[in-house]
Amino acid sequence: MSKPILFGIPNCDTIKKARKWLESQEIEHQFHDFRKQGLDPDWLERAERAVGWELLLNKRGTTFRQLPDEQKQDLDRDTALSLLNAHPAMIKRPVLQYNSEFFVGFKPEQYQEIFANA
């Protein structure tokens, strides 16, 4: 079993909840801060293949809403990945990578299921 890696930005409330949950369950994990550690385009490609760009792209966030309208129109996989590479804060958080799988968002029930056999 690989050590889970939580991807996001530390001041995000959902990240804080996910990290607190992992710590309360004594699940050792790594945290990857997109702002400090950057975003690996290969990692983004793997995550997108696993969950789809529609799930990864956070259209409700401030960063996306502040984009010019022409950048938000006619989105497809390539334009979405380009935007996410340029603006990692637009990635829906958290992204949990565990045992070569990717999970987006945080719900305690989902994490309970993911780590049930850990």
Side-chain angles (χ1 to χ4, degrees):
M1 300 247 177
S2 62
K3 183 189 281 189
I5 306 171
L6 200 62
F7 293 83
I9 54 179
N11 61 340
C12 169
D13 288 341
T14 310
I15 291 285
K16 290 176 185 176
K17 289 176 189 173
R19 291 178 85 179
K20 186 176 181 177
W21 187 92
L22 289 167
E23 289 163 9
S24 75
Q25 301 298 308
E26 298 180 356
I27 297 172
E28 191 177 333
H29 64 283
Q30 279 181 258
F31 178 69
H32 181 98
D33 182 342
F34 288 141
R35 289 209 173 116
K36 289 184 181 170
Q37 296 169 276
L39 180 63
D40 178 358
D42 291 336
W43 176 87
L44 183 59
E45 288 273 344
R46 288 193 315 275
E48 189 281 327
R49 279 195 302 273
V51 301
W53 67 266
E54 298 92 339
L55 184 57
L56 281 177
L57 180 63
N58 182 5
K59 292 182 180 179
R60 293 179 10 192
T62 306
T63 308
F64 183 82
R65 291 194 320 258
Q66 290 177 344
L67 288 175
D69 286 341
E70 56 271 9
Q71 283 189 292
K72 295 188 265 188
Q73 295 170 355
D74 301 323
L75 282 174
D76 62 15
R77 179 186 185 275
D78 292 335
T79 56
L81 287 177
S82 178
L83 284 172
L84 293 173
N85 270 306
H87 309 281
M90 281 197 294
I91 296 174
K92 188 172 181 182
R93 300 177 295 268
V95 175
L96 175 70
Q97 183 179 350
Y98 182 56
N99 290 336
S100 303
E101 292 186 70
F102 293 85
F103 307 91
V104 178
F106 171 71
K107 289 192 172 81
E109 311 79 43
Q110 178 194 26
Y111 274 40
Q112 191 70 47
E113 190 175 309
I114 292 166
F115 294 105
N117 299 316

